[in-house]
């Protein structure tokens, strides 16, 4: 459960849905009538394929008066302190070709987002790491119940982080207080509005499990 999406959040989530268009799948849920499945009653739930990053990936997260900040993630290394199969990821913030900060996390990074004040990294196990402007870890890693499909941070020096899970539910955190303002809210209605073709028979129905 959790709060519903207000108008401001709708405006934020809708562009994200369009960007995820190629990764949205649908799964039919048979409706139960008494103790029997009623094949005439169909409901579709939307699911998203998990996010993925190459072993080394960079994005521009800040550009101001000619100054540019790059967020770079490299996940090809292995931790010597753990079993050889357990990967680590190196996160770097680079400003005007100078290394601003560097951090190391356990796990394969699969999604990244940031602005002037915050950096968010998701891993293949559904963990979420939040860093401040100096590379400090703002809180212990957040373990979500499902893999992450998308991360988005407010532009410039904004303080909101939106996380879309593979079950088409979203979380939103206020990174100043580290409090969740939207918790586990489904965005199925928004997907139906933004992508009406996803509901047509013969569409992209799959039994994909995140």
């Amino acid at each position: 459960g959790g709060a519903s999406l207000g108008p401001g959040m709708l405006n934020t989530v809708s562009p994200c849905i369009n960007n995820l268009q190629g990764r949205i799948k649908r799964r039919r849920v048979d409706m139960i009538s008494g103790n029997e499945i009623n094949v005439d009653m169909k409901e579709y739930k939307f699911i998203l394929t998990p996010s993925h990053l190459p072993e080394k990936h960079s994005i521009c997260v800040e550009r101001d008066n000619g100054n540019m900040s790059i967020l770079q993630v490299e996940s090809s290394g292995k931790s010597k302190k753990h079993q050889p199969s357990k990967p680590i990821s190196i996160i770097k913030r680079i400003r005007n070709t100078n290394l601003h900060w560097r951090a190391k996390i356990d796990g394969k990074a699969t999604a990244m987002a940031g602005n002037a004040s915050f950096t968010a990294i998701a891993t293949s196990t559904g963990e979420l790491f939040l860093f401040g402007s100096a590379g400090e870890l703002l809180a212990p890693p957040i373990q979500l119940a499902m893999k992450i499909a998308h991360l988005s941070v407010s532009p410039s020096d904004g303080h909101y982080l939106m996380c879309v899970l593979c079950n088409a539910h979203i979380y939103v955190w206020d990174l100043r207080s580290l409090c969740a303002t939207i918790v586990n809210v489904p965005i199925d209605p928004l997907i139906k509005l933004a992508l009406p073709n996803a509901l047509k028979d013969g569409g992209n129905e799959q039994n994909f499990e995140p």
Side-chain angles (χ1 to χ4, degrees):
S4 60
L5 298 177
M9 190 55 60
L10 293 178
N11 293 334
T12 301
V13 176
S14 296
C16 164
I17 293 173
N18 288 319
N19 292 335
L20 291 171
Q21 183 170 177
R23 294 168 47 206
I24 295 176
K25 309 297 180 184
R26 66 176 187 172
R27 180 174 58 202
R28 196 182 85 177
V29 178
D30 293 314
M31 306 298 289
I32 304 297
S33 178
N35 294 323
E36 297 182 356
I37 295 177
N38 188 336
V39 295
D40 295 324
M41 298 173 63
K42 293 190 299 183
E43 180 180 350
Y44 288 100
K45 295 291 185 181
F46 292 99
I47 52 179
L48 304 172
T49 56
S51 57
H52 172 77
L53 293 176
E55 287 187 350
K56 189 172 184 178
H57 189 64
S58 301
I59 59 173
C60 179
V61 294
E62 180 187 356
R63 191 187 297 271
D64 182 35
N65 296 327
N67 297 319
M68 184 169 63
S69 179
I70 299 294
L71 172 60
Q72 183 182 95
V73 172
E74 185 171 357
S75 299
S76 58
K78 305 291 183 181
S79 175
K80 296 180 180 178
K81 297 180 181 180
H82 300 90
Q83 296 298 323
S85 61
K86 187 170 184 179
I88 62 169
S89 296
I90 305 297
I91 299 96
K92 297 178 182 178
R93 285 293 291 261
I94 301 167
R95 289 183 177 172
N96 294 330
T97 72
N98 296 316
L99 180 64
H100 181 54
W101 59 262
R102 179 183 184 274
K104 181 174 71 173
I105 61 173
D106 287 326
K108 169 72 170 67
T110 58
M112 57 200 288
N115 60 21
S117 302
F118 302 103
T119 297
I121 305 290
T123 70
S124 58
T125 57
E127 278 192 301
L128 185 60
F129 292 81
L130 305 176
F131 297 92
S133 59
E136 73 278 19
L137 196 61
L138 296 177
I142 300 170
Q143 180 64 64
L144 297 169
M146 188 164 290
K147 291 182 179 180
I148 294 167
H150 178 76
L151 287 178
S152 179
V153 177
S154 304
S156 186
D157 59 349
H159 51 268
Y160 287 104
L161 168 68
M162 181 175 68
C163 175
V164 183
L165 301 185
C166 287
N167 62 353
H169 287 215
I170 71 165
Y171 286 76
V172 175
W173 285 272
D174 184 335
L175 295 175
R176 297 169 303 180
S177 61
L178 297 178
C179 291
T181 59
I182 300 290
V183 179
N184 204 30
V185 173
I187 56 173
D188 296 68
L190 294 181
I191 295 176
K192 293 174 184 178
L193 286 174
L195 304 172
N197 290 336
L199 286 174
K200 289 183 178 180
D201 289 337
N204 55 344
E205 181 175 338
Q206 293 196 3
N207 291 322
F208 171 81
E209 284 287 350

